[in-house]
Amino acid sequence: MPSPTASASAAFRPHDHDRCRGQALTAARDLCRARGLRLTPARAFALEALLESHRAMTAYELLDRLRGAGLGGQPPVAYRALEFLVEHGFAHRIERLGAYVACTGGADRHPAAFMICRACRAVAETALAAPAPELVRQATASGFSLERIVIEAEGLCADCRAAGV
């Protein structure tokens, strides 16, 4: 999958998106084969849909796409596909939007932060070397066991700012 540094800028800058999407799909298929995971047609379609752009997609938006492709019309189909993609590191849930975005930082679990354009819903993932060190320190001091940290920053991308949104 693309490097985290390259992906952070890709969502907000022009780039060869066909190449970006193709590399991510190939990497996901290779990882599934190597890990003995089953990339079903619905899962593969969901990943391809998330990779079409660097924008967040809700489960119901994905469900509409799955239904249109003849891959199922019930919510569990979309939710199971998204659950698989998140569980295996191919996608992230963007809590702020209640939506999902393809992982651009590699399929291994990694701390990340997300920059979300509030106007166009573009999402850029960026890797974090040490996420929220003060939060980790305070949690440790209080005996709290952190399991997951989600950092989401909302703002406007350059294109939306230029458009006066």
Side-chain angles (χ1 to χ4, degrees):
M1 295 193 127
S3 72
T5 305
S7 64
S9 62
F12 298 131
R13 293 201 179 112
H15 66 287
D16 183 349
H17 189 68
D18 288 338
R19 183 171 172 239
C20 170
R21 183 179 63 227
Q23 287 175 333
L25 281 171
T26 299
R29 287 186 179 112
D30 291 347
L31 278 170
C32 283
R33 265 192 300 280
R35 294 177 179 172
L37 300 173
R38 198 162 158 254
L39 193 61
T40 65
R43 292 170 179 173
F45 183 88
L47 180 58
E48 287 182 55
L50 292 177
L51 287 166
E52 283 181 7
S53 70
H54 292 283
R55 285 171 176 60
M57 178 181 285
T58 68
Y60 281 94
E61 289 170 327
L62 176 61
L63 181 60
D64 288 342
R65 306 273 303 274
L66 286 163
R67 186 181 295 120
L71 293 170
Q74 299 300 317
V77 175
Y79 281 107
R80 280 193 292 260
L82 290 166
E83 182 180 294
F84 172 87
L85 296 175
V86 170
E87 179 182 343
H88 295 288
F90 301 116
H92 295 284
R93 177 171 162 76
I94 303 300
E95 304 295 333
R96 167 75 179 87
L97 300 174
Y100 299 82
V101 64
C103 176
T104 57
D108 291 324
R109 294 221 179 262
H110 55 276
F114 302 93
M115 296 171 282
I116 305 162
C117 179
R118 67 174 165 78
C120 70
R121 293 176 52 132
V123 178
E125 176 182 346
T126 186
L128 294 177
E134 181 59 20
L135 178 60
V136 172
R137 187 193 67 69
Q138 289 182 22
T140 302
S142 67
F144 184 80
S145 175
L146 285 171
E147 295 176 351
R148 187 176 95 142
I149 297 173
V150 177
I151 298 174
E152 298 176 356
E154 187 177 55
L156 287 172
C157 69
D159 288 343
C160 289
R161 274 196 338 271
V165 174

